[in-house]
């Protein structure tokens, strides 16, 4: 069964934030230590799985586990294994800062994880620390090599910032030696990132194209998202660009987000969502749960409003929403 919103977009992908906590402090996401949500406010794994089952019955097929940093929550690999076992699940992937990934690779592989995105905004330890607040590039790099070695489909996510301009080519070079996708993502003005300005994917593209002049666009589908991918005869992997601001792709949006506090969010830029935690904790049956999911999906906004900042109503930082 296909699940469509009121604008006819097929919605088959749910991003699930399993925690608001994180061991890094990226300046565009969670620059300072925050009050954490109390444990009882965070969805239990059983509750997440119940929501996923309802979502699958409606037509969701693909899941991404995210956060905060998903690997700071105990049992993430076990959740992935259980999600993978649900009839109707096609694909489960993970987005992580990579700092705790190395020690989890075997359990994630065993769980059946279909792919991992490792966030890396710099290669130079000083720039990495300036952006993330931690000296952990090395851990993420070791995990990257280990993921590739073990055969996990691996992507690198780099947010485009003026602070990491000098790092773009170094990061892109991972695709020279490794079969990985290196994706450059425009900074989205959500939460504290609303006060920052980021370079565009067009600027990054020009720099990458100068380095690999035979870069050509590839039509291959690489995942669930809106990245546009490029290849070159000198690259083992690909370079992807996600121009959330400059190349709006909302007309093809296929996703919804479940926050760690149990709210279903149909669009990143608006605070609106449906409180599924309250619903299930107040004893709702499966039909009521499905109806709530359907309602949120059907009323998914037509587009984000990142270019009209005064219209953005989402004030929470990305780690609380689930990026
Ligand atoms: N902690 C994990 C990580 O860093 O990969 C998962 C959660 S993080 C919120 C998910 C992704 O969102 C990361 O790749 C991060 O760089 C990206 N991100 C966070 N805030 C962003 C923003 N304002 N604009 C664009 N991407 C952002
Ligand atoms: Fe943590 Fe990821 Fe946010 Fe960085 S982007 S602070 S690693 S949740």
């Amino acid at each position: 069964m296909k699940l469509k919103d009121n604008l006819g977009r097929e919605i088959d992908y749910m991003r699930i934030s399993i925690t608001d906590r994180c061991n890094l402090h990226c300046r565009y996401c969670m620059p300072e230590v925050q009050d954490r949500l109390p444990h009882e406010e965070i969805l239990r794994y059983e509750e997440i799985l119940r929501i996923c089952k309802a979502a699958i019955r409606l037509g969701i097929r693909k899941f991404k586990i995210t956060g905060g940093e998903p690997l700071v929550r105990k049992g993430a690999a076990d959740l992935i294994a259980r999600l993978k076992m649900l009839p109707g699940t096609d694909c489960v992937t993970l987005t992580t800062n990579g700092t705790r990934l190395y020690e989890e690779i075997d359990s994630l592989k065993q769980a059946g994880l279909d792919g991992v995105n490792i966030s890396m905004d710099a290669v130079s330890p000083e720039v990495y620390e300036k952006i993330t607040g931690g000296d952990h590039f090395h851990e993420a790099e070791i995990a990257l090599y280990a993921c590739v070695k073990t055969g996990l489909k691996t992507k690198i996510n780099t947010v485009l910032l003026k602070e990491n301009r000098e790092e773009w080519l170094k990061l892109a070079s991972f695709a020279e030696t490794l079969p990985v996708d290196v994706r450059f993502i425009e900074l989205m003005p959500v939460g504290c990132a609303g006060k920052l300005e980021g370079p565009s994917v067009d600027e990054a593209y020009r720099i990458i194209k100068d380095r690999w002049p035979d870069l050509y666009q590839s039509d291959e589908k690489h995942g669930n998202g809106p990245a546009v991918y490029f290849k070159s005869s000198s690259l083992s992997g690909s370079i992807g660009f996600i121009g959330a601001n400059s190349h709006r792709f909302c007309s093809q949006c296929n996703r919804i987000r479940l926050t760690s506090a149990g709210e279903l969010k149909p669009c990143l830029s608006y605070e609106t969502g449906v409180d599924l935690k309250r619903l299930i904790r107040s004893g709702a049956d499966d039909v009521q749960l499905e109806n709530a999911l359907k309602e949120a999906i059907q009323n998914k906004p037509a587009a984000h409003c990142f270019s009209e900042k005064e219209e953005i109503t989402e004030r929470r930082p990305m780690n609380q929403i689930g990026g």
Side-chain angles (χ1 to χ4, degrees):
M1 189 180 71
K2 291 198 169 168
L3 173 63
K4 295 204 170 172
D5 70 5
N6 284 343
L7 300 171
R9 293 173 295 192
E10 187 183 342
I11 311 298
D12 61 359
Y13 174 40
M14 183 154 101
R15 295 177 71 95
I16 305 169
S17 171
I18 61 171
T19 179
D20 62 323
R21 298 172 189 213
C22 187
N23 56 337
L24 293 183
H25 291 286
C26 299
R27 55 189 307 267
Y28 51 78
C29 178
M30 190 179 86
E32 277 140 32
V33 178
Q34 290 170 358
D35 289 341
R36 296 155 164 184
L37 292 171
H39 271 299
E40 61 278 14
E41 292 303 323
I42 302 284
L43 281 183
R44 296 187 285 271
Y45 285 148
E46 291 304 330
E47 293 172 321
I48 293 176
L49 286 164
R50 182 170 170 211
I51 293 170
C52 290
K53 283 183 203 160
I56 290 171
R57 287 195 295 275
L58 293 174
I60 299 286
R61 296 280 169 263
K62 300 175 268 192
F63 297 95
K64 166 88 72 199
I65 303 301
T66 181
E69 172 47 41
L71 298 182
V72 301
R73 181 162 175 187
K74 279 204 192 101
D78 190 46
L79 172 75
I80 290 168
R82 294 171 73 192
L83 196 45
K84 276 289 290 186
M85 277 189 289
L86 295 181
T89 295
D90 278 351
C91 164
V92 181
T93 52
L94 171 77
T95 293
T96 168
N97 62 31
T99 57
R100 300 203 179 171
L101 177 56
Y102 182 80
E103 48 275 34
E104 293 289 334
I105 292 176
D106 289 345
S107 5
L108 291 167
K109 226 7 220 173
Q110 260 172 18
L113 186 72
D114 293 291
V116 61
N117 294 4
I118 305 177
S119 298
M120 286 183 167
D121 292 336
V123 171
S124 318
E126 314 77 59
V127 185
Y128 184 91
E129 184 163 0
K130 196 170 156 206
I131 296 171
T132 66
D135 178 14
H136 296 293
F137 173 72
H138 190 56
E139 287 96 309
E141 188 185 26
I142 289 174
L144 166 70
Y145 283 104
C147 284
V148 171
K149 192 164 170 211
T150 190
L152 258 179
K153 223 162 98 190
T154 308
K155 296 178 182 171
I156 295 173
N157 281 352
T158 299
V159 175
L160 293 167
L161 304 164
K162 56 183 186 329
E163 291 84 349
N164 65 3
R165 235 185 221 111
E166 303 300 315
E167 302 287 311
W168 299 347
L169 281 179
K170 298 181 217 166
L171 287 154
S173 298
F174 278 119
E176 215 164 31
T177 47
L178 299 175
V180 298
D181 295 337
V182 180
R183 294 133 42 97
F184 293 98
I185 304 170
E186 278 178 356
L187 182 72
M188 292 178 268
V190 176
C192 58
K195 295 189 216 103
L196 308 172
E197 294 285 340
S200 69
V201 285
D202 294 344
E203 184 182 338
Y205 173 79
R206 282 193 295 274
I207 290 173
I208 306 279
K209 177 83 175 160
D210 269 358
R211 169 69 184 78
W212 292 284
D214 71 337
L215 207 66
Y216 63 92
Q217 192 170 333
S218 142
D219 296 331
E220 282 168 27
K221 181 120 181 68
H222 292 223
N224 309 318
V228 182
Y229 287 100
F230 292 81
K231 291 184 168 240
S232 147
S233 56
S234 322
L235 296 176
S236 322
S238 307
I239 309 287
F241 297 94
I242 304 182
N245 306 316
S246 60
H247 300 259
R248 192 142 82 171
F249 31 70
C250 301
S251 62
Q252 280 124 48
C253 187
N254 61 344
R255 64 188 58 189
I256 49 174
R257 289 183 156 79
L258 181 64
T259 70
S260 54
E263 184 188 328
L264 190 74
K265 264 184 76 65
C267 177
L268 253 188
S269 60
Y270 304 100
E271 65 168 354
T272 46
V274 175
D275 188 348
L276 297 182
K277 180 180 67 200
R278 200 174 61 183
L279 194 73
I280 54 185
R281 289 188 186 173
S282 64
D285 64 20
D286 284 347
V287 175
Q288 289 167 315
L289 179 57
E290 283 173 30
N291 285 342
L293 276 153
K294 262 194 245 165
E295 193 190 320
I297 290 165
Q298 277 161 357
N299 296 318
K300 187 172 158 66
H304 67 63
C305 53
F306 292 157
S307 52
E308 302 91 27
K309 282 194 184 167
E310 63 291 347
E311 287 178 29
I312 302 174
T313 53
E314 182 55 82
R315 301 270 168 257
R316 284 171 295 182
M318 201 68 123
N319 69 300
Q320 280 183 14
I321 304 165

